[in-house]
Structures are given as C-alpha cells and as structure tokens.
C-alpha cells in the first residue's frame, strides 16, 4: 500500500542554519503531497502542498519540490528561527475516492538561539 | 471564525470507563476524521466519515466508536475495550475525502489513571 517515510528526529539546529527534512513516498498512482506542522500543544496546520510532479510548494520561507523520479518531497528552509521549533509531518493523498490522508511519523525540529 | 472545536482539552478516566470526545466544525466540510497521536508513531487513523450517517474504520478502530448524525459533529467514544487509550486525539475535517487538505482541531489529551 501507499506509505510515507520521513527522516527520524530530533533535528537540532542553531538559529539561521539551513534545514532539510527528508521525505520519500511509495504510491501506485499520482499522489498529492503535503507538509503539515504541529506547534507544541496544538493540532496540525497545513504548511505547503504540491499536486503534481515538479511542482514546488512554498510558505513562510519553507519549500518542497515534488520529485517523481526520486519519489521525494524534502522540506527545506534557508534560515531557521526559534519559532520554527515544531513537529513536521509529510503526508500523501493518493487522490482515490474512499481513502484518507497518509502521514509519516513526524520529525521534531528544535532551534536554539 | 470558522474552525474545528474539540473538547475537552484534557480528560482523565479510570480504567473500565467509556469516554466521549467532542468534535464540532463550522466549515461546512463533508469529511471528518479522528486520529490518534502517540510519541514516535505519528498519526494513526481511527475512523473517518465522508457524509452524514456514514463512516469507515481506519487503521486502529478497535476499542473506539463514532457517530455522524449531523454534518457538523463527529464524536469519538473511547470504550473500555481499548487496551491502551492514553494518547492525544486529533479531529480533522476536509471539504471532501479526496482533496487531502485537512483542517485540525487543537486536540484532546486523554489519560487513563
């Protein structure tokens, strides 16, 4: 079945460092891909998405490119801030009727000043 | 403001008791979901509903029950048959099942004493 694999955390960075969180997926069709963020004690929020190959999603300085050839959707940010500390989830929708979103296990990011 | 409201935010339960978690949305979304979140395991789907009076089991439905009598409401009951109910529970909704973009509530933390 479809699945999402994320790099294990925690990821610990200093402020202004470059961030990459790896995400790869397995899907039989042409999925849509998402990154969600969860701040401490809260629910998840959509961070960005891409619906077809080579699309780049971006928001709040974060970017991710849908790479069909490598089945990847890695999250990047050029300069992280302390306020980016959160758990990041990669997710997949196989765009088939009757199926729900599939999430990765999440990657915890901790940014120190 | 539109959104999803979960209550209670914190709940304590004695072993052998059933508890019901409330989830209400005013986004006019057709689809609603319940996820369970445990440390290191990401989000696991419990139940989801595409329309009123219809719902499907997710990956970990055993020991849980739901109802969908109104479009706005999707309560989750954690029954005494759930062997390890202590967790963080997240409710979400989306316009339809296939769109992929979920809107989450702030979660309910259940602790069994």
């Amino acid at each position: 079945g479809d699945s999402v694999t994320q790099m294990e955390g925690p990821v610990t960075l200093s402020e202004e460092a470059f961030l990459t969180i790896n995400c790869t997926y397995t899907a039989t069709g042409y999925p849509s891909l998402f990154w969600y963020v969860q701040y401490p004690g809260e629910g998840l929020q959509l961070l960005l998405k891409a619906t077809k190959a080579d699309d780049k999603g971006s928001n709040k300085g974060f970017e991710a490119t849908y790479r069909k050839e490598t089945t990847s959707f890695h999250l990047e940010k050029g300069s992280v801030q302390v306020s980016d500390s959160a758990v990041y989830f990669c997710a997949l929708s196989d765009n088939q009727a009757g199926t729900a979103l599939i999430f990765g296990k999440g990657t915890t990011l901790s940014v120190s000043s | 403001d539109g959104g999803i409201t979960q209550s209670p935010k914190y709940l304590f339960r004695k072993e052998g008791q059933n508890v019901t978690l409330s989830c209400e949305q005013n986004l006019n979304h057709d689809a609603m979901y319940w996820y369970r979140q445990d440390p290191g395991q990401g989000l696991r789907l419990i139940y989801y509903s595409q329309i009123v009076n219809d719902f499907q089991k997710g990956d970990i439905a055993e020991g849980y029950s739901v109802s969908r009598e109104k479009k706005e409401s999707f309560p989750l009951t954690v029954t005494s048959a759930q062997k390890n109910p202590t967790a963080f529970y997240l409710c979400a909704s989306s316009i339809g099942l296939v769109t992929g973009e979920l809107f989450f509530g702030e979660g309910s933390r259940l602790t069994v004493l």
Side-chain angles (χ1 to χ4, degrees):
Chain A
D2 295 349
S3 65
V4 174
T5 303
Q6 288 181 238
M7 63 185 287
E8 292 190 17
V11 174
T12 303
L13 296 173
S14 298
E15 208 164 22
E16 300 183 3
F18 185 86
L19 168 71
T20 300
I21 299 178
N22 290 340
C23 172
T24 57
Y25 68 90
T26 301
T28 53
Y30 300 92
S32 296
L33 301 171
F34 305 82
W35 278 101
Y36 282 81
V37 58
Q38 183 181 32
Y39 297 104
E42 299 183 7
L44 279 70
Q45 306 172 25
L46 178 66
L47 181 60
L48 52 85
K49 67 178 181 182
T51 57
K52 62 183 187 295
D54 299 325
D55 269 3
K56 177 186 283 188
S58 61
N59 186 27
K60 300 182 181 179
F62 290 90
E63 294 183 340
T65 301
Y66 186 165
R67 302 282 188 201
K68 188 168 176 60
E69 63 275 13
T70 55
T71 62
S72 65
F73 193 54
H74 304 323
L75 182 68
E76 297 181 336
K77 187 174 185 182
S79 176
V80 294
Q81 305 300 312
V82 172
S83 58
D84 293 327
S85 298
V87 182
Y88 292 83
F89 292 91
C90 187
L92 172 157
S93 171
D94 65 5
N95 297 319
Q96 303 275 340
T99 60
L101 209 60
I102 297 169
F103 285 88
K105 292 189 176 182
T107 302
T108 299
L109 170 65
S110 179
V111 180
S112 58
S113 58
Chain B
D1 289 336
I4 298 180
T5 302
Q6 288 188 240
S7 63
K9 193 171 179 68
Y10 299 96
L11 183 62
F12 297 89
R13 184 193 100 175
K14 293 182 179 179
E15 284 193 26
Q17 289 181 333
N18 292 354
V19 293
T20 297
L21 307 180
S22 170
C23 178
E24 303 279 332
Q25 55 100 355
N26 61 3
L27 299 168
N28 200 32
H29 285 171
D30 286 320
M32 297 187 73
Y33 314 77
W34 275 104
Y35 287 90
R36 170 177 170 145
Q37 185 176 18
D38 296 284
Q41 296 198 49
L43 275 67
R44 293 183 289 169
L45 183 64
I46 305 172
Y47 270 98
Y48 63 100
S49 168
Q50 298 185 63
I51 56 172
V52 174
N53 293 323
D54 185 56
F55 48 82
Q56 287 78 41
K57 293 181 179 180
D59 299 320
I60 56 164
E62 184 176 352
Y64 299 97
S65 65
V66 293
S67 62
R68 187 86 187 275
E69 297 176 0
K70 298 187 298 182
K71 187 175 184 177
E72 309 80 43
S73 179
F74 191 43
L76 173 74
T77 297
V78 184
T79 75
S80 56
Q82 169 50 234
K83 295 178 181 173
N84 185 20
T86 294
F88 190 54
Y89 292 88
L90 287 162
C91 180
S93 71
S94 64
I95 294 172
L97 190 62
V98 181
T99 60
E101 183 172 349
L102 302 186
F103 293 79
F104 283 84
E106 293 195 344
S108 294
R109 184 167 297 281
L110 172 64
T111 302
V112 173
L113 303 174

